[in-house]
Amino acid sequence: MNYGNLRDRPVDFSSHGEWSLCPHCRYRRLVPHDELYGRAQDCPGCSLSVGPGKWQTGASDLILTSADVRWVCEVSWFHTSVHRVWPPAAAAAEDRAVHLGTYEAAIESMLYRMSAMAEHDQQFYLHRVEVPDISVDPAMHDDLGEALTGFVELNAVTSTGYQGLRYINEEEQKGSISLAVSPRAIRSVQSVAIPAPGLSAVVTARTTDCARRYDADRAAAESTLLPVDRENPLGRLDRLMGTTVSARRLRERDHRMWSAIGELFDGLSSIYVADVAPGLRERLEDAVRATLAVGPAAGSGIAEVYRRYAGLIVRSSEVLALVGAVPASRPTLFD
């Protein structure tokens, strides 16, 4: 789809493995997810053993790593942040560049920040960015360690005389190509609050069944306690150690509750995101857990929050249409 001069790339969250490089010979192969951190594998290129977690992230599309960088100016780029107006004023400092990526990478970054950076209570925004006149270094660069924060050192980007550089993203949508650019290179931005109302993943009969099963399991777990257990709640350490009969009952209740919530998330992920990378499924679950950290909730409530964020994945075309319909604005940081 097109909005003005921008072209959105097809969005595809599905993943059957990661394009990876042998650390010995740089042989490139698609490594299934269960082999990335399983037992050691012999590299087909050099026959040397590659241990679990030792495969290096390779580019998913080699064409995008060539010296021809014209495509960078022809497609839309994305970023997620807690700033309604982006880039924020902090980016006006001369020593800051900004991080841009695919739609998939931007959504995964938001999910990561919700749990790992305790931003689950913040309103996030999806920013669709146009950089049609940017000069891009034709060389590929290493992933930038501060990419998840959204800011990188400007000197690291412009020291070779260009306004932007490409690198293989090793954190979000692994293997995708991301950009670090000078804010001055951004011509326009379209922004929308996410998750968007009305664009949650749809309720299915299986969703309702999962929620009801969770409620029943939770009620069964609570029924194992006696009134004295509720009147004199023990600390977490006492429950873990099982120092008293009451503590052991509370510990068993907690284990059953953890099992119930785990089964609920397993069920929801099998309904909505079964074919995405395991890491993305985990980040989605962690983000929802962080949002619900205030206390226990009914299964339908947990499922509603899960569907809200899963909608960014399974209804991505509608999210793109929503942000694409927003009037583009020109950053005014440097006016």
Side-chain angles (χ1 to χ4, degrees), residues 29-72:
R29 65 178 286 243
L30 182 64
V31 181
H33 293 297
D34 58 0
E35 292 184 15
L36 284 169
Y37 300 100
R39 61 183 178 84
Q41 301 284 329
D42 290 339
C43 171
C46 65
S47 299
L48 294 177
S49 178
V50 181
K54 299 300 183 182
W55 290 98
Q56 299 172 356
T57 303
S60 301
D61 188 343
L62 290 179
I63 294 177
L64 302 184
T65 66
S66 72
D68 185 351
V69 296
R70 289 174 294 180
W71 68 273
V72 172

Side-chain angles (χ1 to χ4, degrees), residues 14 53 78 106 142 145 188 197 279 313 330:
S14 64
F78 294 89
D142 293 332
S188 65
I313 298 172
R330 180 180 180 275

Side-chain angles (χ1 to χ4, degrees), residues 111-265:
L111 296 174
Y112 170 85
R113 293 176 61 175
M114 286 177 63
S115 59
M117 295 184 173
E119 293 183 335
H120 56 275
D121 57 347
Q122 299 290 310
Q123 174 63 65
F124 273 86
Y125 296 86
L126 174 68
H127 310 287
R128 192 164 178 272
V129 183
E130 180 179 20
V131 287
D133 306 312
I134 190 173
S135 60
V136 180
D137 190 340
M140 289 296 299
H141 293 259
D142 293 332
D143 195 348
L144 301 177
E146 296 182 85
L148 285 172
T149 66
F151 294 100
V152 294
E153 294 298 321
L154 184 60
N155 184 61
V157 176
T158 60
S159 60
T160 56
Y162 296 92
Q163 295 173 299
L165 58 81
R166 298 168 298 161
Y167 60 91
I168 299 173
N169 197 321
E170 299 180 8
E171 298 294 337
E172 313 107 337
Q173 198 194 16
K174 291 185 177 181
S176 64
I177 303 302
S178 288
L179 297 179
V181 305
S182 165
R184 294 180 182 274
I186 297 176
R187 186 171 77 177
S188 65
V189 180
Q190 295 161 284
S191 302
V192 66
I194 55 172
L199 290 183
S200 296
V202 298
V203 178
T204 69
R206 289 178 60 198
T207 310
T208 303
D209 288 343
C210 286
R212 288 174 176 169
R213 192 180 310 118
Y214 167 75
D215 289 339
D217 290 344
R218 187 179 68 166
E222 291 288 355
S223 70
T224 62
L225 299 184
L226 300 178
V228 66
D229 303 326
R230 304 180 193 282
E231 294 167 3
N232 301 292
L234 299 173
R236 185 176 182 184
L237 181 59
D238 288 320
R239 283 181 283 170
L240 290 174
M241 298 298 293
T243 54
T244 66
V245 174
S246 181
R248 288 191 286 275
R249 283 195 295 267
L250 286 164
R251 180 177 62 184
E252 177 61 22
R253 187 277 312 268
D254 290 346
H255 287 168
R256 294 179 64 170
M257 292 286 285
W258 295 333
S259 177
I261 191 79
E263 290 179 6
L264 174 58
F265 278 114

